[in-house]
Amino acid sequence: MSLFPQPRWLRRWIRRRMNPLPVDRAAQWKGRISILYSIVAWNALGWVGYMIYTGRNDWAKYYGYKTDEEASMPQAIRFAKQLNVPNAHVMKFSGLSKTDEYELKDNEVVRTDGQPKEVSE
């Protein structure tokens, strides 16, 4: 059983139109494709490392898809806006210890002591 089962009609269609490959030739092509895949994956990893090294790891901000206001907004508020959750309870963790806890009311941070924190929207 696979995670994404292949439709039976597609399998029948492919088997009707393709000739079976000999085992040795199929293994040879599998090796070639795996080498090509490893080269592409290695270059993609290098590109990500280069982008991080040059300071372009937030590509959306670098290319202008994200405004300065959105970049300065805490991640919890951005997710709450994206998910249409105006009121939420936020807990921040660092490792296995809880570092911060607060409420979001209408996408504004409200601390437990009752003083809202200023957040630019």
Side-chain angles (χ1 to χ4, degrees):
M1 181 169 174
S2 66
L3 185 60
F4 301 106
Q6 187 180 29
R8 288 185 183 161
W9 64 268
L10 181 62
R11 179 178 170 83
R12 284 192 304 256
W13 186 83
I14 290 172
R15 289 181 70 89
R16 263 187 267 135
R17 285 164 177 74
M18 302 290 283
N19 293 328
L21 288 175
V23 176
D24 57 339
R25 190 164 175 213
Q28 180 184 22
W29 276 102
K30 182 179 178 182
R32 289 177 183 170
I33 291 173
S34 66
I35 289 172
L36 177 69
Y37 173 74
S38 63
I39 290 170
V40 169
W42 183 255
N43 284 321
L45 179 66
W47 180 254
V48 168
Y50 173 74
M51 295 298 272
I52 291 170
Y53 179 74
T54 58
R56 291 185 275 180
N57 51 350
D58 191 1
W59 62 269
K61 184 178 179 198
Y62 182 80
Y63 290 109
Y65 294 118
K66 189 190 304 183
T67 63
D68 290 333
E69 293 175 6
E70 290 174 332
S72 65
M73 196 180 307
Q75 193 173 23
I77 293 177
R78 282 189 284 158
F79 283 134
K81 281 185 175 183
Q82 189 173 11
L83 296 172
N84 279 339
V85 179
N87 302 326
H89 184 79
V90 178
M91 293 186 289
K92 290 185 178 181
F93 286 87
S94 177
L96 295 176
S97 61
K98 184 168 48 171
T99 58
D100 196 10
E101 183 174 1
Y102 57 87
E103 297 281 334
L104 285 178
K105 303 275 185 190
D106 298 322
N107 293 325
E108 288 187 22
V109 176
V110 178
R111 298 285 172 183
T112 55
D113 57 355
Q115 296 179 2
K117 183 181 176 186
E118 290 294 323
V119 176
S120 62
E121 291 190 44

mmCIF file of all heavy atoms in Angstrom, residues 18-35:
data_model
loop_
_atom_site.group_PDB
_atom_site.id
_atom_site.type_symbol
_atom_site.label_atom_id
_atom_site.label_comp_id
_atom_site.label_asym_id
_atom_site.label_seq_id
_atom_site.Cartn_x
_atom_site.Cartn_y
_atom_site.Cartn_z
ATOM 1 N N MET A 18 3.211 0.998 -23.533
ATOM 2 C CA MET A 18 4.655 0.885 -23.316
ATOM 3 C C MET A 18 5.072 -0.581 -23.402
ATOM 4 O O MET A 18 4.347 -1.461 -22.965
ATOM 5 C CB MET A 18 5.037 1.425 -21.928
ATOM 6 C CG MET A 18 4.642 2.860 -21.679
ATOM 7 S SD MET A 18 5.579 4.039 -22.616
ATOM 8 C CE MET A 18 7.078 4.054 -21.713
ATOM 9 N N ASN A 19 6.256 -0.794 -23.915
ATOM 10 C CA ASN A 19 6.826 -2.132 -23.935
ATOM 11 C C ASN A 19 7.645 -2.338 -22.663
ATOM 12 O O ASN A 19 8.317 -1.415 -22.194
ATOM 13 C CB ASN A 19 7.740 -2.314 -25.145
ATOM 14 C CG ASN A 19 6.959 -2.281 -26.437
ATOM 15 O OD1 ASN A 19 5.815 -2.692 -26.475
ATOM 16 N ND2 ASN A 19 7.597 -1.797 -27.489
ATOM 17 N N PRO A 20 7.628 -3.534 -22.092
ATOM 18 C CA PRO A 20 8.428 -3.770 -20.886
ATOM 19 C C PRO A 20 9.917 -3.704 -21.198
ATOM 20 O O PRO A 20 10.378 -4.136 -22.252
ATOM 21 C CB PRO A 20 8.021 -5.170 -20.432
ATOM 22 C CG PRO A 20 7.285 -5.780 -21.568
ATOM 23 C CD PRO A 20 6.828 -4.683 -22.468
ATOM 24 N N LEU A 21 10.684 -3.137 -20.253
ATOM 25 C CA LEU A 21 12.134 -3.039 -20.399
ATOM 26 C C LEU A 21 12.798 -4.273 -19.792
ATOM 27 O O LEU A 21 12.317 -4.810 -18.794
ATOM 28 C CB LEU A 21 12.659 -1.813 -19.660
ATOM 29 C CG LEU A 21 12.365 -0.447 -20.240
ATOM 30 C CD1 LEU A 21 12.865 0.632 -19.285
ATOM 31 C CD2 LEU A 21 13.024 -0.289 -21.579
ATOM 32 N N PRO A 22 13.913 -4.697 -20.363
ATOM 33 C CA PRO A 22 14.680 -5.762 -19.703
ATOM 34 C C PRO A 22 15.191 -5.264 -18.344
ATOM 35 O O PRO A 22 15.413 -4.073 -18.134
ATOM 36 C CB PRO A 22 15.844 -6.009 -20.660
ATOM 37 C CG PRO A 22 15.426 -5.435 -21.962
ATOM 38 C CD PRO A 22 14.466 -4.341 -21.646
ATOM 39 N N VAL A 23 15.388 -6.188 -17.408
ATOM 40 C CA VAL A 23 15.756 -5.832 -16.041
ATOM 41 C C VAL A 23 17.088 -5.089 -15.996
ATOM 42 O O VAL A 23 17.225 -4.093 -15.274
ATOM 43 C CB VAL A 23 15.804 -7.108 -15.159
ATOM 44 C CG1 VAL A 23 16.284 -6.775 -13.770
ATOM 45 C CG2 VAL A 23 14.444 -7.761 -15.107
ATOM 46 N N ASP A 24 18.079 -5.532 -16.759
ATOM 47 C CA ASP A 24 19.387 -4.882 -16.708
ATOM 48 C C ASP A 24 19.326 -3.452 -17.258
ATOM 49 O O ASP A 24 19.953 -2.533 -16.719
ATOM 50 C CB ASP A 24 20.435 -5.706 -17.445
ATOM 51 C CG ASP A 24 20.054 -5.961 -18.901
ATOM 52 O OD1 ASP A 24 18.851 -5.867 -19.242
ATOM 53 O OD2 ASP A 24 20.974 -6.250 -19.694
ATOM 54 N N ARG A 25 18.559 -3.241 -18.317
ATOM 55 C CA ARG A 25 18.430 -1.892 -18.877
ATOM 56 C C ARG A 25 17.657 -0.976 -17.915
ATOM 57 O O ARG A 25 17.990 0.200 -17.759
ATOM 58 C CB ARG A 25 17.719 -1.970 -20.222
ATOM 59 C CG ARG A 25 17.753 -0.677 -20.973
ATOM 60 C CD ARG A 25 17.390 -0.893 -22.427
ATOM 61 N NE ARG A 25 17.326 0.387 -23.093
ATOM 62 C CZ ARG A 25 16.507 0.669 -24.079
ATOM 63 N NH1 ARG A 25 15.682 -0.262 -24.523
ATOM 64 N NH2 ARG A 25 16.505 1.847 -24.632
ATOM 65 N N ALA A 26 16.610 -1.508 -17.263
ATOM 66 C CA ALA A 26 15.850 -0.715 -16.289
ATOM 67 C C ALA A 26 16.741 -0.319 -15.111
ATOM 68 O O ALA A 26 16.685 0.820 -14.631
ATOM 69 C CB ALA A 26 14.641 -1.503 -15.797
ATOM 70 N N ALA A 27 17.597 -1.238 -14.657
ATOM 71 C CA ALA A 27 18.513 -0.926 -13.553
ATOM 72 C C ALA A 27 19.524 0.137 -13.969
ATOM 73 O O ALA A 27 19.886 1.009 -13.173
ATOM 74 C CB ALA A 27 19.224 -2.190 -13.088
ATOM 75 N N GLN A 28 19.980 0.064 -15.220
ATOM 76 C CA GLN A 28 20.925 1.064 -15.723
ATOM 77 C C GLN A 28 20.277 2.453 -15.733
ATOM 78 O O GLN A 28 20.893 3.421 -15.285
ATOM 79 C CB GLN A 28 21.362 0.667 -17.134
ATOM 80 C CG GLN A 28 22.353 1.625 -17.754
ATOM 81 C CD GLN A 28 22.679 1.228 -19.198
ATOM 82 O OE1 GLN A 28 21.907 0.533 -19.849
ATOM 83 N NE2 GLN A 28 23.834 1.665 -19.666
ATOM 84 N N TRP A 29 19.046 2.554 -16.206
ATOM 85 C CA TRP A 29 18.370 3.851 -16.237
ATOM 86 C C TRP A 29 18.024 4.340 -14.835
ATOM 87 O O TRP A 29 18.042 5.540 -14.558
ATOM 88 C CB TRP A 29 17.121 3.788 -17.114
ATOM 89 C CG TRP A 29 17.485 3.988 -18.540
ATOM 90 C CD1 TRP A 29 17.599 3.047 -19.508
ATOM 91 C CD2 TRP A 29 17.847 5.234 -19.138
ATOM 92 N NE1 TRP A 29 17.993 3.606 -20.681
ATOM 93 C CE2 TRP A 29 18.158 4.965 -20.491
ATOM 94 C CE3 TRP A 29 17.946 6.533 -18.687
ATOM 95 C CZ2 TRP A 29 18.554 5.955 -21.364
ATOM 96 C CZ3 TRP A 29 18.335 7.521 -19.562
ATOM 97 C CH2 TRP A 29 18.633 7.235 -20.884
ATOM 98 N N LYS A 30 17.722 3.424 -13.947
ATOM 99 C CA LYS A 30 17.458 3.813 -12.553
ATOM 100 C C LYS A 30 18.712 4.423 -11.942
ATOM 101 O O LYS A 30 18.648 5.432 -11.227
ATOM 102 C CB LYS A 30 17.006 2.597 -11.748
ATOM 103 C CG LYS A 30 16.663 2.918 -10.322
ATOM 104 C CD LYS A 30 16.199 1.663 -9.597
ATOM 105 C CE LYS A 30 15.891 1.964 -8.147
ATOM 106 N NZ LYS A 30 15.476 0.760 -7.419
ATOM 107 N N GLY A 31 19.862 3.864 -12.230
ATOM 108 C CA GLY A 31 21.129 4.416 -11.739
ATOM 109 C C GLY A 31 21.414 5.787 -12.313
ATOM 110 O O GLY A 31 21.847 6.699 -11.593
ATOM 111 N N ARG A 32 21.165 5.964 -13.611
ATOM 112 C CA ARG A 32 21.397 7.265 -14.242
ATOM 113 C C ARG A 32 20.482 8.341 -13.662
ATOM 114 O O ARG A 32 20.913 9.466 -13.389
ATOM 115 C CB ARG A 32 21.163 7.157 -15.750
ATOM 116 C CG ARG A 32 22.220 6.381 -16.486
ATOM 117 C CD ARG A 32 21.853 6.271 -17.951
ATOM 118 N NE ARG A 32 22.838 5.465 -18.673
ATOM 119 C CZ ARG A 32 22.677 5.038 -19.908
ATOM 120 N NH1 ARG A 32 21.572 5.327 -20.580
ATOM 121 N NH2 ARG A 32 23.620 4.324 -20.483
ATOM 122 N N ILE A 33 19.226 7.986 -13.494
ATOM 123 C CA ILE A 33 18.273 8.965 -12.952
ATOM 124 C C ILE A 33 18.615 9.307 -11.509
ATOM 125 O O ILE A 33 18.489 10.460 -11.088
ATOM 126 C CB ILE A 33 16.834 8.431 -13.105
ATOM 127 C CG1 ILE A 33 16.468 8.416 -14.588
ATOM 128 C CG2 ILE A 33 15.842 9.276 -12.318
ATOM 129 C CD1 ILE A 33 15.148 7.750 -14.890
ATOM 130 N N SER A 34 19.081 8.318 -10.725
ATOM 131 C CA SER A 34 19.431 8.602 -9.328
ATOM 132 C C SER A 34 20.660 9.509 -9.253
ATOM 133 O O SER A 34 20.739 10.383 -8.379
ATOM 134 C CB SER A 34 19.657 7.316 -8.544
ATOM 135 O OG SER A 34 20.791 6.636 -9.030
ATOM 136 N N ILE A 35 21.612 9.347 -10.161
ATOM 137 C CA ILE A 35 22.777 10.244 -10.190
ATOM 138 C C ILE A 35 22.342 11.654 -10.560
ATOM 139 O O ILE A 35 22.762 12.636 -9.940
ATOM 140 C CB ILE A 35 23.848 9.710 -11.159
ATOM 141 C CG1 ILE A 35 24.503 8.464 -10.582
ATOM 142 C CG2 ILE A 35 24.897 10.774 -11.451
ATOM 143 C CD1 ILE A 35 25.431 7.749 -11.537
#
